[in-house]
Amino acid sequence: MEVVITESPEAGGSLVARAIADLVNSRATPVLGLATGSTPLPVYDDLVARFDRHEVSFANTRGFALDEYVGLPEHHPESYREVLLREFVNRVDMPDDMLFTPDGWAEDVRQACHDYDVSIADAGGIDLQLLGVGTDGHIGFNEPTSSLASPTRVKTLTEQTRVDNARFFDGDVANVPHHVLTQGVGTILRARHLVLLAWGEGKADAVAATVEGPVTAMVPSTALQLHPHATVVVDEAAASRLRLREYYREVFDGKPDWQGI
Ligand code: GLP
């Protein structure tokens, strides 16, 4: 696993955005895995700036979201489809119909989950998957005890995750849905490159467990250790509990191998 420690979320966002722009420019039909939450916003902001400077076009890029809430009214501003349209897709030249999100409004959500994995495979798989991490080590909405081989499926959120996400719902945990559809850990592991981002002291334990802890379904982000090309980009505060952080600085500082092995 590559561990890159950056001086700020903006510096980390810019580093990752440059890698994404290079990838998009080098592929006829690039496929990105898009994450929500506050963590990837510096990446999206930097990609929009690159688009505004005519350095990159997303006209032929397909984007697959990690997850979606179940039970929100359609077009609710906090549905992840709306968040991704607002924070990224509609700020660049990516057509709305090139954004794919699990269908949290489907009558048959199990079928919708299966169809979602098929649509990722039909697109040729995900070239680069952006990931944040929950304070409990969830990726997408794969809560602790998620199978590390899971497909896209319905999950029930833990109280901790609903409390963490209440800030997007007027600060009231009662407004946060209980159920979600999420790419499974197995789905995520099929992407060709995983890039997990984390900023701030609040993520320091999750980052240390992800990178240096034992692989366990209790911390689904530890599944990154099973992937042949995973990059973790963190700021100083999020890196503060990594035992080998001086080693990572020496080996990877500012020069991750975005091409992989
Ligand atoms: C939600 C999302 C995750 C995200 C996590 C962390 O649970 N489903 O994909 O990684 O929040 O959010 P934040 O980046 O806001 O800390």
Side-chain angles (χ1 to χ4, degrees):
M1 199 183 293
E2 301 172 316
V3 183
V4 184
I5 303 169
T6 62
E7 62 185 19
S8 64
E10 290 70 30
S14 173
L15 190 79
V16 174
R18 192 176 66 206
I20 292 175
D22 288 348
L23 170 82
V24 166
N25 286 333
S26 71
R27 292 265 206 289
T29 54
V31 184
L32 297 178
L34 301 172
T36 48
S38 44
T39 303
L41 297 181
V43 178
Y44 297 144
D45 288 346
D46 200 277
L47 285 173
V48 171
R50 285 167 197 272
F51 167 75
D52 289 342
R53 293 196 301 267
H54 308 289
E55 293 171 12
V56 62
S57 162
F58 297 92
N60 297 318
T61 299
R62 269 168 291 185
F64 284 87
L66 274 171
D67 43 17
E68 181 58 278
Y69 290 109
V70 174
L72 290 179
E74 215 162 344
H75 306 298
H76 186 287
E78 293 307 326
S79 84
Y80 282 167
R81 182 168 187 86
E82 292 298 316
V83 169
L84 286 170
L85 288 170
R86 186 168 68 237
E87 300 292 358
F88 179 55
V89 175
N90 290 342
R91 297 167 72 198
V92 296
D93 59 347
M94 189 170 151
D96 286 13
D97 61 4
M98 297 281 262
L99 173 66
F100 298 83
T101 51
D103 186 356
W105 297 272
E107 253 174 55
D108 184 345
V109 284
R110 287 168 68 103
Q111 183 65 41
C113 290
H114 174 74
D115 292 348
Y116 197 65
D117 279 344
V118 170
S119 62
I120 293 173
D122 285 350
I126 289 172
D127 291 313
L128 185 150
Q129 175 67 61
L130 280 177
L131 295 165
V133 62
T135 52
D136 59 0
H138 72 250
I139 48 176
F141 268 134
N142 292 282
E143 297 284 30
T145 73
S146 287
S147 159
L148 301 186
S150 44
T152 297
R153 68 218 184 288
V154 185
K155 287 294 286 182
T156 303
L157 296 181
T158 62
E159 182 69 9
Q160 175 68 57
T161 297
R162 294 181 63 243
V163 168
D164 286 350
N165 286 1
R167 68 190 192 283
F168 297 115
F169 292 88
D170 302 324
D172 186 352
V173 69
N175 295 334
V176 183
H178 286 266
H179 297 104
V180 294
L181 307 186
T182 182
Q183 280 191 37
V185 181
T187 313
I188 291 168
L189 289 176
R190 278 199 291 277
R192 284 181 276 281
H193 184 191
L194 302 180
V195 180
L196 182 141
L197 315 169
W199 324 123
E201 165 83 22
K203 297 291 174 72
D205 284 333
V207 167
T210 302
V211 177
E212 297 177 342
V215 174
T216 168
M218 278 303 285
V219 185
S221 54
T222 60
L224 265 72
Q225 296 177 29
L226 302 172
H227 194 280
H229 191 201
T231 306
V232 172
V233 181
V234 290
D235 66 1
E236 292 287 346
S240 59
R241 279 175 221 141
L242 287 168
R243 286 172 51 200
L244 298 185
R245 63 182 181 282
E246 294 315 320
Y247 172 71
Y248 307 135
R249 250 191 262 280
E250 186 190 332
V251 179
F252 299 117
D253 214 14
K255 45 183 183 321
D257 176 11
W258 297 111
Q259 301 307 313
I261 51 177

